[in-house]
Structures are given as structure tokens and as C-alpha cells.
């Protein structure tokens, strides 16, 4: 999920630009969890997903149909031979204009629900890997993946126009690399030793005025109270960037 205007040139034609109706259709906590399962673990049925998430198959089946109605998932052709339908995440991916939707009173509630779940879940997945790698360096999965995983940070002095161009180039590279190296329809279970690899891209301005606010709000060293003792309130207009 990403905010991207105009769309990257390498983006597939079947990519979904989420509109207000689809956004509201995703703003249910179970639907976010179901979509994550299909994106991260590959195709599944309502019964399989119900067992994983502790939900009834009737409930997961209903919410899967709603996700399909709004274009987030699609039938997984060639999977299984029984009567139950297999679902997969939309192959072309999807993007949501989160910042714009949060500024519109008619969509703000839905945007908050979708984005807060997305950010929290993404952060938790990264945190879970970091904690496992730190607590059990001899774990077989840690041994296999420690050289392949990474965490990099690149502060750069850029104008908004330069930052937008950089972001577009990063997205183009990801789409192109995926198209050239990952066969369409492949899931981790198809390749021995493979796991789903998540690449998280955050690009945002580190505003000097916000850094100053953090410094003012930080507690004084050695447990001493701050000189003013005043609370520093967040900027009332400051909304999280949905990139």
C-alpha cells in the first residue's frame, strides 16, 4: 500500500487506486487481517483463514466477499479441487491516497481505521523479526535470513519536488524488480526455503519545527524537571503522511 501521484510508470495496469467506497469497504478490522494473510501467506480459503484467525468460516467468507467486491482480492484460479473457493490478494496491488482521505471529513474515520491498522501491523511485523533475531541468534530461521535482512536510513536534504521524484523512482524499481524476478502467481510455499519478504518504504520530511518540539518535550537528564514545566501540544493540523 502506498500513496503515489502520478502513478509510477512501471506499475501494472491492474493496480487498484482505492476510492472512497473501497476505502470504507476495507475499514473493518477483520478485513485488514484477512487481506494481510492473503498478501503475506498466499492463497487460502475462508475455512483456512478462519482457523488461523480464530473466526468462524461464515464470518471470514462474508468479509472475503466484501474484499473481493471492492477489488482488494480475487479468486485464486487453479487452487484446490473442492467446493470451497480459494482467494488471493489482487495481483496488481493497490494504493490509497491516505493523506487526502484523512483531510476529507466524509472519509476521515475510514482512513484513520485503515491506515492505523496498516501502520501498526507493519511495525509489529518488523519488530517481531528484530526481537527474534536479537533474542535467539542461533534460531535456524535467524541463521538463514540474518545476512538477507537489513535496516537502512538515508537522510537527504531535498526539495519536495526532488523527494517526489525519488519516491517515484523507488516504486518504479520495486515494480520492475518484482516483474523481472518473481514469476506472477508465485507464493513462498512454491519455492523450497522461500519466505515472504516485506520491503517497507517510508519517505517523509523531518521538519525542523517538529524536531524542536521533541527536544522541548523531552524530560531533562538525571530525572530533573524541565525549567518551564509546560506541556508541548502536538500541531493541531499535523496529520501523518500516508506514504
Amino acid at each position: 500500500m502506498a500513496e503515489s501521484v502520478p502513478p509510477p510508470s512501471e506499475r501494472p495496469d491492474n493496480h487498484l487506486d482505492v476510492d472512497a467506497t473501497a476505502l470504507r469497504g476495507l475499514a473493518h478490522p477483520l478485513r485488514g487481517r484477512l487481506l494481510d494473510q492473503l498478501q503475506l501467506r498466499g492463497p487460502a480459503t475462508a475455512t483456512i483463514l478462519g482457523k488461523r484467525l480464530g473466526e468462524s468460516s461464515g464470518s471470514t467468507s462474508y468479509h472475503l466477499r466484501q474484499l473481493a467486491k471492492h477489488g482488494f482480492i480475487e479468486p485464486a484460479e487453479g487452487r484446490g479441487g473442492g467446493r470451497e473457493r480459494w482467494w488471493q490478494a489482487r495481483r496488481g496491488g493497490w494504493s490509497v491516497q491516505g493523506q487526502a482521505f484523512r483531510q476529507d471529513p466524509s472519509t476521515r474515520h475510514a482512513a484513520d481505521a485503515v491506515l492505523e491498522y496498516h501502520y501498526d501491523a507493519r511495525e509489529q511485523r518488523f519488530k517481531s523479526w528484530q526481537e527474534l533475531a536479537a533474542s535467539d541468534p542461533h534460531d535456524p530461521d535467524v541463521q538463514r535470513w540474518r545476512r538477507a535482512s537489513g535496516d537502512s536510513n538515508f537522510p537527504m536534504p531535498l526539495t519536495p519536488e526532488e523527494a517526489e521524484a525519488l519516491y517515484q523512482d523507488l516504486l518504479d524499481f520495486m515494480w520492475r524488480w518484482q516483474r523481472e524476478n518473481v514469476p506472477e502467481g508465485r507464493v513462498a510455499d512454491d519455492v523450497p526455503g522461500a519466505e515472504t519478504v516485506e520491503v517497507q518504504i517510508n519517505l517523509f520530511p523531518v521538519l525542523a519545527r517538529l524536531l524542536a518540539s521533541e527536544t522541548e518535550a523531552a524530560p531533562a537528564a538525571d530525572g530533573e524537571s524541565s525549567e518551564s514545566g509546560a506541556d508541548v501540544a502536538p500541531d493541531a493540523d499535523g496529520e501523518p503522511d500516508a506514504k
Side-chain angles (χ1 to χ4, degrees):
M1 181 178 76
E3 181 168 345
S4 174
V5 180
S9 61
E10 298 286 345
R11 201 174 75 174
D13 293 336
N14 61 338
H15 187 87
L16 173 66
D17 286 310
V18 175
D19 61 15
T21 301
L23 178 73
R24 296 187 185 99
L26 183 58
H28 186 287
L30 180 54
R31 293 177 196 170
R33 295 167 66 203
L34 290 168
L35 185 54
D36 273 351
Q37 286 288 317
L38 295 176
Q39 290 180 149
L40 299 171
R41 300 185 64 177
T45 66
T47 298
I48 291 172
L49 292 169
K51 290 178 179 178
R52 289 180 187 170
L53 301 178
E55 302 283 346
S56 70
S57 60
S59 176
T60 55
S61 180
Y62 169 77
H63 288 293
L64 286 167
R65 291 196 301 272
Q66 293 302 305
L67 287 171
K69 173 183 176 181
H70 295 292
F72 294 101
I73 67 174
E74 58 195 17
E77 304 297 339
R79 292 274 176 175
R83 298 172 58 184
E84 192 169 16
R85 174 170 287 183
W86 284 71
W87 296 98
Q88 66 186 17
R90 185 188 188 97
R91 289 186 176 180
W94 56 282
S95 299
V96 58
Q97 300 292 328
Q99 187 178 32
F101 282 131
R102 274 184 153 172
Q103 292 171 351
D104 184 341
S106 69
T107 54
R108 179 166 187 159
H109 179 74
D112 283 347
V114 170
L115 295 176
E116 287 172 10
Y117 170 80
H118 169 73
Y119 293 142
D120 289 347
R122 186 172 69 178
E123 181 180 2
Q124 184 56 52
R125 289 192 296 270
F126 183 45
K127 183 178 180 181
S128 295
W129 163 252
Q130 287 181 307
E131 290 177 347
L132 175 63
S135 64
D136 193 357
H138 300 296
D139 180 276
D141 286 328
V142 174
Q143 289 290 310
R144 288 196 311 122
W145 287 95
R146 63 185 178 86
R147 293 179 62 86
S149 62
D151 176 18
S152 301
N153 190 39
F154 294 91
M156 291 182 281
L158 303 177
T159 66
E161 294 75 19
E162 290 168 337
E164 181 179 358
L166 171 61
Y167 187 63
Q168 297 290 343
D169 286 347
L170 289 171
L171 294 182
D172 276 341
F173 172 78
M174 291 303 303
W175 282 117
R176 183 170 60 252
W177 199 97
Q178 179 174 309
R179 185 183 68 247
E180 294 175 352
N181 294 277
V182 184
E184 186 176 18
R186 179 206 276 184
V187 297
D189 289 345
D190 294 339
V191 182
E195 300 282 358
T196 296
V197 170
E198 182 171 10
V199 180
Q200 301 183 1
I201 301 175
N202 297 324
L203 190 154
F204 59 94
V206 183
L207 301 178
R209 63 186 178 87
L210 297 184
L211 285 177
S213 297
E214 290 176 6
T215 302
E216 294 167 6
D222 300 324
E224 296 178 2
S225 60
S226 63
E227 189 170 321
S228 67
D231 292 331
V232 180
D235 184 349
D237 297 324
E239 292 296 334
D241 193 336
K243 286 185 181 179

